[in-house]
Amino acid sequence: MLRWGFIGNAPAERGSTLPGFSCAADPCQLQPVLRDGERTGYCPQPACAMCAAMRPDFILTLSCPDRTGIVYRVSGLLFEAGCNILDAQQFGDEESGRFFLRVHFDMTDIGDAPTVRARLQALGEEFAMAWELHDARRRARLLVLVSKQGHCLNDLLFRTHSRQLKVDIAAVASNHADFGALAGSYGVPFHHLPVNADNREQQEQQLIDLVERERIDLVVLARYMQILSPRLCQALAGRAINIHHSFLPSFKGAQPYHQAHARGVKIIGATAHYVTSDLDEGPIIEQDVARVDHAMTPRDLVQLGSDTESQVLARAVRRHVEHRILLNGHRTVVFR
């Protein structure tokens, strides 16, 4: 229970409480803050660790031509704005000559955010930065696309339901009706959008409309076995992730794990990447492998491969929604 020193503009009675919070300070001198129309707050007392967790926090990501003084200027800007850096990671790529930075910081008042943005805008112009500032407490909204294989969908639904992923799955869409009941069991709306050669353009427009209507941040192709048109790829640029086995280009088409078994492969793997108009060749986010041996059947390989795909996709989604991925040409910089 949080002991409030002030609620609104009037002093609260000493020892008064607000459900759902806790504070070591007595009394805790909170100032009211509005976020998304709801009242929240922070405690300016440095010793109040529990209330410090309530301070609004943000994630800054940027890339720019590499030069001296970038970290100094960014950290100085945040310090002058009264912000506190919680975590920072950086990388300078000698090959491309670009510098990449991710900074997680908090501030005492959400009302300071416009000032920080304005100062970043000016600094960005000076250093030719591509930068983004994200509210770290906002949960990303996902649209999951699936066809006939549901292992990745099932994994994402469970991880979201159990709070292992900081996301909200706003909808599931499929060109088949198979997983309507699975989505429904988690209370997630399911959209059956059949597609064929005659209605592909209309079906993709339905997907675009769904993305806009549900304010989708990320589209996840969880074994969605349809090739997206260049138009749809462009509409989803930078906010669509695909998962597939890592046998390409060796084992294309149907039953790749059976083909791999027939060739006696010793490892299988999965790749998660951003969707582009170049089929299965977008910037890679995450990969993993699993060892197999001669005693394993094609069914064993399919099961092991499904597990690997699910884990790789979940890690890719987590790193995207935590704003840990920056594009470096056709490659990615992924801060752990």
Side-chain angles (χ1 to χ4, degrees):
M1 308 295 283
L2 177 58
R3 305 178 182 216
W4 285 72
F6 296 92
I7 300 178
N9 295 318
E13 181 181 350
R14 184 178 180 88
S16 60
T17 57
L18 181 69
F21 297 95
S22 178
C23 178
D26 187 12
C28 174
Q29 304 294 314
L30 269 130
Q31 303 294 331
V33 176
L34 293 178
R35 177 184 297 152
D36 297 331
E38 296 183 0
R39 187 177 297 276
T40 180
Y42 67 89
C43 177
Q45 300 184 50
C48 182
M50 302 186 75
C51 286
M54 297 176 61
R55 291 161 56 104
D57 57 324
F58 294 83
I59 295 172
L60 169 66
T61 59
L62 65 85
S63 66
C64 63
D66 200 358
R67 53 179 280 192
T68 59
I70 300 172
V71 174
Y72 170 78
R73 293 290 299 278
V74 171
S75 60
L77 182 156
L78 295 176
F79 171 76
E80 291 170 1
C83 301
N84 177 48
I85 294 177
L86 304 173
D87 177 72
Q89 294 174 285
Q90 65 189 61
F91 171 68
D93 184 15
E94 294 184 358
E95 184 175 330
S96 66
R98 293 191 67 80
F99 178 80
F100 303 85
L101 179 66
R102 178 187 185 271
V103 183
H104 181 199
F105 66 92
D106 66 16
M107 59 180 65
T108 54
D109 191 334
I110 191 69
D112 294 334
T115 300
V116 173
R117 287 184 183 275
R119 294 181 180 180
L120 284 171
Q121 182 66 38
L123 186 65
E125 293 175 359
E126 178 182 346
F127 281 81
M129 291 177 178
W131 63 274
E132 294 180 351
L133 185 62
H134 306 274
D135 185 340
R137 300 191 179 188
R138 182 179 178 276
R139 298 175 66 85
R141 292 176 60 80
L142 269 57
L143 168 63
V144 182
L145 305 183
V146 65
S147 289
K148 284 280 195 176
Q149 301 176 54
H151 52 280
C152 289
L153 169 64
N154 185 61
D155 183 77
L156 290 173
L157 287 168
F158 175 78
R159 290 178 189 269
T160 301
H161 178 74
S162 59
R163 301 296 182 180
Q164 296 180 45
L165 283 175
K166 190 178 179 180
V167 302
D168 292 322
I169 299 180
V172 174
S174 177
N175 53 322
H176 300 282
D178 300 52
F179 297 112
L182 175 61
S185 70
Y186 284 93
V188 177
F190 181 82
H191 301 266
H192 181 209
L193 304 176
V195 62
N196 55 49
D198 297 326
N199 77 336
R200 183 171 301 278
E201 184 175 348
Q202 292 80 4
Q203 191 256 14
E204 289 195 342
Q205 184 59 51
Q206 288 179 294
L207 289 175
I208 293 175
D209 293 342
L210 183 59
V211 167
E212 294 176 351
R213 184 170 67 251
E214 295 294 336
R215 296 173 288 113
I216 298 299
D217 299 299
L218 178 66
V219 177
V220 182
L221 281 65
R223 300 298 287 163
Y224 182 64
M225 307 305 289
Q226 293 292 317
I227 298 176
L228 306 189
S229 70
R231 172 174 170 265
L232 184 54
C233 290
Q234 181 61 38
L236 301 179
R239 53 176 179 156
I241 292 176
N242 185 36
I243 184 73
H244 61 72
H245 60 79
S246 292
F247 295 134
L248 296 174
S250 299
F251 306 127
K252 298 180 180 180
Q255 297 187 315
Y257 289 102
H258 290 71
Q259 297 179 52
H261 178 267
R263 287 289 301 274
V265 301
K266 301 305 179 188
I267 59 171
I268 59 175
T271 297
H273 63 89
Y274 284 115
V275 173
T276 67
S277 55
D278 296 323
L279 181 61
D280 292 330
E281 294 185 11
I284 294 171
I285 302 170
E286 178 66 25
Q287 292 179 300
D288 205 350
V289 296
R291 299 202 66 84
V292 300
D293 61 37
H294 61 277
M296 300 180 73
T297 67
R299 183 175 180 178
D300 293 332
L301 265 65
V302 170
Q303 181 175 344
L304 185 59
S306 297
D307 291 343
T308 306
E309 291 170 5
S310 298
Q311 294 167 14
V312 168
L313 181 59
R315 291 201 296 266
V317 169
R318 176 177 290 109
R319 283 160 187 163
H320 178 92
V321 301
E322 292 179 354
H323 312 293
R324 296 183 179 276
I325 308 168
L326 290 84
L327 290 178
N328 184 16
H330 195 65
R331 298 178 293 157
T332 57
V333 173
V334 183
F335 290 119
R336 306 294 180 179

